[in-house]
Amino acid sequence: MAPAEQPSPAEPPSAGPAPAGLPPQVREIAAGYAFTGPALDLGAVLLDGTAYPDAPVRVPLGVLNRHGLVAGATGTGKTKTLQLIAEQLSAQGVPVFLADVKGDVSGVSAPGAPSERTAARAAEVGQSWAPQGCPGEFYALGGQGEGIPIRATVTSFGPLLLAKVLDLNETQESSLGLVFHYADRNGLELYDLKDLTAVISFLASPEGKEELKGIGGLSAATAGVILRSLTMLENEGAGAFFGEPEFDTTELLRTAPDGRGVVSVLELPAVQDRPRLFSTFLMWLLADLYQELPEVGDLDRPKLVFFFDEAHLLFKGASKAFLEAITQTVRLIRSKGVGIFLVTQTPKDVPADVLAQLGNRVQHALRAFTPDDAKALKATVSTFPRSPAYDLGEVLTTLGTGEAVVTVLSEKGAPTPVAATRLRAPQSLMGPIEPAALRAAVDVSALTARYRDAVDRESAYEKLAARAARPAAAEVPEARDVPEEASGEEAERGGKEGGGLLGSLLSSPALKSFARSAGTQLGREISRSLFGTSRRRR
């Protein structure tokens, strides 16, 4: 439960009119942030180096599904801004997802440490600071780290996302889509990388080429490129990310018994040398959530706020189809009650069509040391509403750590005045928790037993191996004296494997999980989503 000395933060008091004693420019800005409903407190208006605690800068809780951008140069305080927003969301019952790229976000689960610096910052912005942590869950991709393993089956990951991971061109991406289509139509479950390798190898063989005649073809050169890329991915240890049990993304929507939202922290330092993989894996989480959640329209508070760190990695080298899918996902997932905050260094890292969907902006300092920096600064200034109170080009290069230029959407959906802001200090620990504490939190989690151990069930690899062995098995009775019982058993097994879609489905030892996968025998009926990911059946 929340500490007794803390008042319930579910419905914070609304900001009243700005005091008359404020400078006119500050009073005008503060009036744009005087919301009547529940809101998150970001900090205080900053003008000419002075913070005005009687002029709070806030963001309405109900507009956080309109998405946002947190940007700024390295070391300007972006991570602390994420932590500040996350802990307030959690306090108001909203679950949060955080990608921990640098390994310093786990402290959101522990109370902060009082210090003179924290006390000074709280006084400057009118914050009543008290140490408090959030309920947290800790995850790791494929178990590469201390957290609960997050895995996805290859077939639910889909061809577009996998093509991005493998750095395939558009022709190769199209061929990979054909491989997924064939696997869906023929009941070949793609759970892990060896399943996909087996299907590609089969389709590149004379027998496989014959089966593809009616729907296209897979050239030996393209198959070779994809197989080499898969081998490299496997050698890098990424094979652990693909397989079962597949993570149920609705686990991210949980609240704690005391009503606070659970903060899910995905540990990523172990995969920093594979940035394309982890950024694409985060996109899979969003795509899967989009498929699973019902339409809810605009709520008084979001179901989940998803922070996508190092977002520029997602767009770098992306195909046109991939970018279109990202844009559509960001645009449409709002109506599912999910808010997305992209975190990167400059807005120019984000395509214009995606940037246009981000209604809330927190821009930390930018550097202008080079001509390219100056160009990025000019482009960033052009994306903000006109501000009579600030020369944004100058302000953005002189902001200190923990300061930012803010504009958000009001309760009516209109942009608020641009406000240079001295941000509040997070109340949770600003740094990682001890490794022993993290391990203890994972050990006691109810999700650990569900996802810890990998499972390798019968799938495409085993089925194609059995198919290849059948002709040899058929010759055995002519060469050897095989007992009649064995021949009957062999025939029965062959009948099940050759009995079409229904026969294969009924022979599965885990029907429910089998039916949830896009590559199952129900694959013919599965409509793939924007990224080619599958709709799971529960």
Side-chain angles (χ1 to χ4, degrees):
M1 296 294 292
E5 68 273 15
Q6 291 288 323
S8 173
E11 297 293 340
S14 60
L22 295 174
Q25 289 175 311
V26 174
R27 190 164 60 248
E28 183 179 351
I29 293 170
Y33 293 89
F35 309 122
T36 58
L40 309 185
D41 292 302
L42 299 180
V45 172
L46 183 68
L47 183 67
D48 297 330
T50 301
Y52 293 86
D54 291 331
V57 176
R58 313 167 79 226
V59 54
L61 190 60
V63 303
L64 289 176
N65 69 330
R66 305 295 182 92
H67 311 320
L69 176 73
V70 178
T74 300
T76 55
K78 296 192 299 295
T79 301
K80 299 301 176 284
T81 298
L82 305 189
Q83 194 167 339
L84 172 67
I85 296 174
E87 63 187 25
Q88 291 190 63
L89 285 167
S90 173
Q92 299 202 48
V94 179
V96 177
F97 175 90
L98 290 173
D100 189 6
V101 176
K102 297 183 288 292
D104 56 359
V105 182
S106 59
V108 73
S109 66
S115 68
E116 291 184 5
R117 186 174 179 181
T118 299
R121 172 58 63 100
E124 290 170 351
V125 299
Q127 177 184 9
S128 178
W129 190 92
Q132 183 171 1
C134 305
E137 289 280 11
F138 300 97
Y139 299 97
L141 288 187
Q144 294 201 1
E146 296 290 345
I148 299 163
I150 290 184
R151 303 180 185 87
T153 62
V154 168
T155 195
S156 74
F157 207 70
L160 277 181
L161 289 173
L162 190 57
K164 177 70 164 58
V165 172
L166 299 176
D167 198 20
L168 303 182
N169 62 33
E170 291 191 13
T171 299
Q172 294 156 356
E173 181 182 289
S174 175
S175 296
L176 186 62
L178 178 65
V179 172
F180 274 72
H181 173 74
Y182 176 85
D184 278 352
R185 295 296 300 271
N186 289 273
L188 297 173
E189 303 83 7
L190 303 178
Y191 293 148
D192 50 30
L193 292 185
K194 76 175 187 298
D195 290 324
L196 181 59
T197 299
V199 174
I200 294 172
S201 298
F202 169 74
L203 293 178
S205 70
E207 184 181 358
K209 288 181 182 296
E210 191 67 26
E211 293 201 15
L212 282 180
K213 272 187 175 180
I215 57 173
L218 179 66
S219 72
T222 297
V225 169
I226 299 174
L227 287 172
R228 285 192 295 274
S229 298
L230 287 172
T231 300
M232 291 175 61
L233 194 65
E234 186 85 51
N235 290 341
E236 291 174 352
F241 306 146
F242 298 98
E244 293 188 298
E246 183 171 76
F247 183 70
D248 183 350
T249 52
T250 59
E251 306 280 14
L252 303 178
L253 304 177
R254 294 181 301 127
T255 56
D258 62 5
R260 291 182 294 167
V262 172
V263 179
S264 299
V265 179
L266 177 61
E267 178 187 358
L268 290 171
V271 293
Q272 279 191 357
D273 56 341
R274 292 184 292 276
R276 189 186 304 270
L277 176 63
F278 81 67
S279 66
T280 311
F281 215 99
L282 295 183
M283 202 66 223
W284 170 78
L285 291 175
L286 280 177
D288 194 73
L289 279 168
Y290 175 79
Q291 287 295 303
E292 293 298 308
L293 296 178
E295 294 279 342
V296 293
D298 290 325
L299 303 172
D300 59 353
R301 63 192 66 217
K303 287 186 173 182
L304 172 72
V305 176
F306 193 104
F307 290 93
F308 203 131
D309 204 358
E310 301 291 340
H312 65 282
L313 297 170
L314 185 66
F315 306 109
K316 185 178 180 181
S319 68
K320 181 180 178 181
F322 188 82
L323 290 176
E324 289 175 350
I326 292 174
T327 304
Q328 282 192 279
T329 299
V330 172
R331 181 184 298 123
L332 298 176
I333 203 170
R334 177 181 71 82
S335 64
K336 305 294 184 88
V338 176
I340 302 169
F341 273 73
L342 300 181
V343 186
T344 188
Q345 293 199 3
T346 71
K348 73 180 183 64
D349 293 335
V350 181
D353 288 344
V354 177
L355 193 62
Q357 308 298 319
L358 310 179
N360 304 295
R361 302 277 299 278
V362 180
Q363 176 67 59
H364 287 265
L366 290 174
R367 309 304 180 208
F369 299 142
T370 69
D372 285 344
D373 290 342
K375 187 182 298 184
L377 174 63
K378 184 177 180 180
T380 299
V381 170
S382 69
T383 64
F384 279 90
R386 189 179 70 84
S387 172
Y390 302 104
D391 177 348
L392 286 181
E394 179 181 350
V395 169
L396 285 173
T397 57
T398 58
L399 289 169
T401 301
E403 297 175 347
V405 170
V406 174
T407 180
V408 301
L409 296 179
S410 71
E411 293 165 311
K412 296 181 179 180
T416 59
V418 173
T421 306
R422 183 160 291 160
L423 299 168
R424 290 184 165 215
Q427 297 185 153
S428 54
L429 182 65
M430 290 188 280
I433 60 174
E434 292 295 326
L438 195 153
R439 286 193 295 270
V442 172
D443 288 343
V444 301
S445 172
L447 302 182
T448 298
R450 192 178 308 167
Y451 296 110
R452 178 182 52 209
D453 299 324
V455 176
D456 187 11
R457 296 191 290 116
E458 183 186 48
S459 49
Y461 176 82
E462 289 80 12
K463 290 187 176 185
L464 289 173
R467 177 172 177 171
R470 277 201 297 269
E475 296 174 4
V476 168
E478 300 177 7
R480 300 181 181 178
D481 186 13
V482 180
E484 186 175 346
E485 294 84 350
S487 299
E489 182 180 350
E490 183 79 17
E492 182 181 353
R493 183 173 62 82
K496 285 184 179 180
E497 292 178 346
L501 301 182
L502 183 60
S504 296
L505 178 59
L506 293 177
S507 67
S508 171
L511 179 60
K512 180 179 179 181
S513 179
F514 194 65
R516 283 174 53 194
S517 299
T520 66
Q521 280 61 341
L522 296 172
R524 295 184 180 185
E525 302 171 8
I526 290 174
S527 57
R528 291 188 171 274
S529 75
L530 297 173
F531 287 96
T533 56
S534 64
R535 183 186 298 277
R536 287 183 291 176
R537 297 172 181 263
R538 300 192 184 281

